[in-house]
Amino acid sequence: MLDFTDYVQNAFYESSHWNRNNSYALLDFPTPLGLRLHISALSTPQFASSYSLASTGLLCGSLSYLYTSLALPALPSATRSLPLPAFTPTSYRQLLPLRPPDPPWWWEIWHTGRRIDNRDALLYGRLYLPQSTLEALYLRRLSPTTQLKINAVSDVRLPNGGSVLALLAQDTGRWSAEYMYSTDSALLGVRGLYNFGPDPRKPGIGTKSPATETVVEEVNVRTGARESVSGGEQVSRFSAGAEVYYGLLNKSGGMSTGVRFATLPAHTGFPYTMTLTLNPLMGNLSSSYSVRAGDLLSLSSRFDFNVYSYESGVVVGTELWKLRDLGEKDGRLSREEEKQLERTKETIEAARRGGLVEEDRATRGGDIAGCLKARVNQRGIVGLLWEGRVKELVYSCGASIDMRGGKDIINGVGLELQYSS
């Protein structure tokens, strides 16, 4: 389940036109452990707060606050009306056509002959209790293609009492790069991703103007079709990336490289993504294949192999979304149900415009009752996760099961509840 502060942070990315998917990274979804409760609120369009309480053998919790200079007045925040996909990000995320960065003059604000514009920033702080661990985040857009992100952790149990991680990211659409420095071992790193094909900064085949984007969006909403109708659009994308890092204090380093092939919305067949990553120093090779077999079903597999030890691993998983009835009774809806349905449609449309819910998920957002995620590896370890909604609460429950038997068949069970207003 997506944390509320991460949800607001994603809205900041979308509102400031930053592409979260144009980077060299791999993701896995976690399963909850123990009992967790989150209560959050978007008090103003610029301020959010969240409080968490967890019981995993010991009672603990956290307090977190978030402030953004970029107001988010249209951001829906109440769990009672939010579409479930907003808090339950899909395992398969459809890549969209690359868009060119905003022209620099778009960010200029002039008054009486002087520039008065400021760069958008986001501040986030979280205090964990009773450990007294403090986590902080500073995020600032420096230009239409550059972003600065600083993470800091303060804890007496860490070396030197904490650590700071600075990340300078640059995204031009065609390529992206991230430069990293961490006070932990004085780690220096750089990673980048290059997209082959048309350059979104140059008009031509494979790029879309704002007017073209509007026409395509209207046609999709009216016909309900996912594929694009504009001619000459790019139907797939091939990307290559790499990362290199080196620790100045421990005199050790590492590197990895990878490629990705993914279909775009203009592809008329089923969407799929293939990746291949290699760590030449450790000898690790990993390949994955993911496909969206339908609007409600996604399948994925991953194979890992080490050329030095000959150890291998296989993981297969699936994601299935369940639809629900919106309260139809003999073909009619009550007045209260009609009002609730109208509020839900308005919230879904606001989330879709903000890029927080995918197009096909947004069209079904009011009908989705829950999502089942499952995975199993070659050792017989099964992971199950169900995410849904009860009244005004969004919940997530999961378990890890060892099918080989033994004393500990169930390795862990968890339930997570979230409420926001």
Side-chain angles (χ1 to χ4, degrees), residues 77-201:
S77 60
T79 51
R80 65 176 179 272
S81 57
L82 262 176
L84 190 60
F87 281 105
T88 308
T90 176
S91 299
Y92 185 93
R93 187 172 182 86
Q94 175 70 65
L95 294 183
L96 301 178
L98 297 173
R99 59 173 297 169
D102 295 338
W105 57 269
W106 279 16
W107 290 34
E108 297 180 3
I109 301 177
W110 294 83
H111 180 67
T112 63
R114 293 190 308 167
R115 286 188 59 177
I116 59 173
D117 52 281
N118 295 318
R119 295 294 177 255
D120 297 323
L122 182 145
L123 298 175
Y124 166 73
R126 187 169 189 173
L127 177 63
Y128 294 88
L129 300 171
Q131 301 92 337
S132 298
T133 300
L134 181 61
E135 178 184 287
L137 168 66
Y138 175 75
L139 186 65
R140 186 177 183 86
R141 292 297 308 273
L142 303 180
S143 71
T145 60
T146 310
Q147 176 176 270
L148 176 64
K149 184 178 181 179
I150 300 177
N151 292 86
V153 178
S154 176
D155 193 331
V156 295
R157 296 169 294 181
L158 296 176
N160 301 320
S163 64
V164 178
L165 172 65
L167 187 69
L168 180 64
Q170 187 176 8
D171 184 6
T172 64
R174 182 71 176 272
W175 59 270
S176 66
E178 296 179 349
Y179 312 95
M180 176 184 64
Y181 174 76
S182 175
T183 58
D184 187 12
S185 302
L187 185 68
L188 291 173
V190 58
R191 60 186 177 187
L193 180 73
Y194 184 84
N195 299 300
F196 295 88
D199 191 341
R201 295 169 295 180

Side-chain angles (χ1 to χ4, degrees), residues 1-2 35-40 51 77-84 87-88 324 340 368-370 386-397 415-421:
M1 183 187 300
L2 191 66
L35 178 62
R36 298 178 181 272
L37 175 63
H38 307 277
I39 300 177
S40 311
Y51 311 95
S77 60
T79 51
R80 65 176 179 272
S81 57
L82 262 176
L84 190 60
F87 281 105
T88 308
R324 67 177 175 88
Q340 178 63 28
I368 292 178
W386 172 262
E387 296 175 303
R389 185 202 309 273
V390 174
K391 299 297 182 179
E392 297 185 1
L393 290 177
V394 176
Y395 69 92
S396 173
C397 58
L415 174 63
E416 187 173 359
L417 303 173
Q418 185 165 175
Y419 171 81
S420 63
S421 61

Side-chain angles (χ1 to χ4, degrees), residues 236-259:
S236 61
R237 184 188 306 155
F238 180 77
S239 308
E243 66 176 351
V244 179
Y245 54 90
Y246 182 78
L248 300 178
L249 298 183
N250 53 22
K251 301 297 189 295
S252 64
M255 66 173 298
S256 69
T257 182
V259 294

Side-chain angles (χ1 to χ4, degrees), residues 271-305:
Y272 64 91
T273 301
M274 297 182 293
T275 64
L276 176 65
T277 58
L278 172 65
N279 188 326
L281 298 182
M282 304 301 296
N284 292 328
L285 179 68
S286 178
S287 63
S288 66
Y289 177 75
S290 301
V291 58
R292 177 175 289 177
D295 289 343
L296 304 176
L297 177 64
S298 300
L299 304 171
S300 181
S301 62
R302 184 176 62 197
F303 175 74
D304 301 314
F305 181 75

Side-chain angles (χ1 to χ4, degrees), residues 203-226:
I205 297 177
T207 60
K208 297 188 298 183
S209 65
T212 305
E213 287 185 4
T214 303
V215 172
V216 172
E217 183 176 337
E218 289 179 353
V219 172
N220 282 343
V221 173
R222 185 169 58 252
T223 62
R226 285 202 315 270

Side-chain angles (χ1 to χ4, degrees), residues 7 74-76 81-83 86 217-218 220-222 341-359 361-366:
Y7 168 72
L75 178 65
S81 57
L82 262 176
E217 183 176 337
E218 289 179 353
N220 282 343
V221 173
R222 185 169 58 252
L341 179 59
E342 187 64 27
R343 288 194 298 265
T344 302
K345 289 181 178 180
E346 294 175 356
T347 306
I348 291 174
E349 181 63 21
R352 186 193 62 79
R353 288 196 305 266
L356 302 176
V357 182
E358 296 184 31
E359 183 68 33
R361 293 286 187 260
T363 55
R364 294 180 177 268

